[in-house]
């Protein structure tokens, strides 16, 4: 829809059936896919690549210049996948020379007042709660849920199907399939309800539980637990996902809330 009260740069590439509401602002070097809705007072800045059937709510700012003093004006981008919803007053910064892009995947919901900083990579089907604040270079796996008012330290990683409770401070990596809660943030069991909702079988869930019993409850250190997991449990997609995540953790992983009781 050609909205005379919106600002649209003539070089922006916008599909014909995109709806742009009054007082929205769309800058140059922007691409917006079919069926997307840009709400009033939303600002889509240079480098944005927005997919199909997205909804960008009022006051959101997508692809703003990174809040990074090292940023030197390099040409970078922000990618928003298909069917993703960006709610009111969300801010998403574009990438820096590190990754050259910030990514939020498809079918995501980013709730009001959240911030996704430069070079973050968020997978598909994720939920980012109200006022979540993600520092730069954070990686979030598919189907992860980060509840409201959580702060995520730069370079932290959050595994697939993980769920983090509201008001958390994420200083360490959060492994796949788990619930993370309490202060300091700790392993609080596996995300069994979420896994069942997504079609995981009882056998798969039991296997994941066994992996984390070895890792968090056995009293072994992480290296010993990884060796035991690989020795005693047969290869599977879930086992390998956890093992690879742990071996590639740069910040170290959260500890178990239950570990003191187990010892």
């Amino acid at each position: 829809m050609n909205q005379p009260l919106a600002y649209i740069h003539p070089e922006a590439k916008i599909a014909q059936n995109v709806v742009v509401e009054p007082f929205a602002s769309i800058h140059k070097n922007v691409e917006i896919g079919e069926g997307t809705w840009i709400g009033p007072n939303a600002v889509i800045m240079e480098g944005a690549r927005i997919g199909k059937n997205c909804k960008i709510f009022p006051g959101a700012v997508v692809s703003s210049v990174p809040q990074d003093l090292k940023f030197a004006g390099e040409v970078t981008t922000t990618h928003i996948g298909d069917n993703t919803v960006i709610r009111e007053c969300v801010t998403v910064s574009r990438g820096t020379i590190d990754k050259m892009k910030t990514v939020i995947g498809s079918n995501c919901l980013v709730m009001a007042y959240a911030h996704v900083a430069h070079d973050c990579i968020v997978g598909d089907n994720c939920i980012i709660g109200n006022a979540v604040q993600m520092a730069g270079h954070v990686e979030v796996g598919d189907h992860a849920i980060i509840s409201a008012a959580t702060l995520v330290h730069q370079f932290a990683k959050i595994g697939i199907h993980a769920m983090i409770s509201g008001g958390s401070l994420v200083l360490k990596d959060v492994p796949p399939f788990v619930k993370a809660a309490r202060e300091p943030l700790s392993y609080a069991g596996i995300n069994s309800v979420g896994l069942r909702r997504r079609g995981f079988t009882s056998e798969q869930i039991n296997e994941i539980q066994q992996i984390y019993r070895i890792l968090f409850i056995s009293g072994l250190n992480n290296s010993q637990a990884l060796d035991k997991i690989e020795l005693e449990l047969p290869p599977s997609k879930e086992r390998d996902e956890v093992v690879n995540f742990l071996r590639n953790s740069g910040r170290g992983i959260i500890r178990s809330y239950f570990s003191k009781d187990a010892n």
Side-chain angles (χ1 to χ4, degrees):
M1 183 179 69
N2 185 13
Q3 175 49 252
L5 296 179
Y7 168 74
I8 302 175
H9 194 281
E11 295 178 11
K13 298 179 181 179
I14 303 175
Q16 289 187 355
N17 60 347
V18 169
V19 174
V20 181
E21 298 287 3
F23 310 111
S25 180
I26 299 175
H27 293 211
K28 68 178 181 179
N29 189 22
V30 167
E31 299 176 12
I32 302 177
E34 298 176 358
T36 287
W37 175 76
I38 307 297
N41 296 300
V43 180
I44 313 300
M45 302 189 75
E46 185 174 351
R49 305 288 185 264
I50 299 174
K52 299 177 181 179
N53 303 312
C54 295
K55 288 180 171 34
I56 312 295
F57 276 71
V61 181
V62 176
S63 202
S64 57
V65 171
Q67 299 177 119
D68 185 345
L69 295 177
K70 299 185 299 299
F71 181 70
E74 54 266 30
V75 177
T76 59
T77 55
T78 298
H79 296 257
I80 308 295
D82 296 342
N83 309 304
T84 284
V85 176
I86 307 292
R87 292 301 304 254
E88 295 85 353
C89 300
V90 167
T91 54
V92 185
S93 299
R94 60 188 173 100
T96 69
I97 197 169
D98 177 53
K99 290 189 174 70
M100 302 301 293
K101 62 183 178 181
T102 300
V103 177
I104 299 176
S106 297
N107 307 302
C108 292
L109 171 59
V110 185
M111 297 186 188
Y113 292 96
H115 174 65
V116 181
H118 60 88
D119 302 290
C120 288
I121 306 295
V122 178
D124 297 333
N125 303 291
C126 293
I127 298 176
I128 310 298
N130 292 296
V132 167
Q133 305 295 294
M134 295 171 57
H137 314 278
V138 169
E139 297 182 18
V140 181
D142 295 346
H143 295 280
I145 298 175
I146 306 176
S147 300
T150 291
L151 307 180
V152 187
H153 196 282
Q154 62 186 9
F155 293 101
K157 296 180 181 179
I158 297 169
I160 63 172
H161 297 281
M163 182 173 184
I164 299 174
S165 68
S168 295
L169 178 59
V170 182
L171 298 176
K172 298 285 188 178
D173 293 346
V174 179
F177 311 115
V178 307
K179 294 181 295 185
R182 304 182 176 90
E183 177 59 36
L185 192 66
S186 306
Y187 167 76
I190 72 165
N191 185 17
S192 55
V193 173
L195 295 176
R196 288 192 182 95
R197 287 174 177 170
R198 297 171 198 135
F200 281 71
T201 66
S202 296
E203 291 75 16
Q204 289 172 305
I205 292 172
N206 289 337
E207 179 194 12
I208 294 167
Q209 287 176 326
Q210 183 58 26
I211 290 170
Y212 285 110
R213 287 191 191 102
I214 295 171
L215 181 63
F216 287 123
I217 310 299
S218 66
L220 301 174
N221 64 38
N222 288 350
S223 296
Q224 293 169 333
L226 279 171
D227 291 341
K228 185 178 177 68
I229 289 167
E230 291 187 300
L231 179 65
E232 296 187 0
L233 300 180
S236 69
K237 183 178 179 180
E238 291 71 35
R239 190 206 74 165
D240 293 345
E241 181 71 34
V242 175
V243 168
N244 290 334
F245 184 95
L246 298 178
R247 293 204 184 281
N248 291 295
S249 173
R251 299 188 56 80
I253 64 169
I254 59 173
R255 300 185 64 184
S256 173
Y257 178 76
F258 307 109
S259 59
K260 292 182 180 179
D261 297 335
N263 291 334

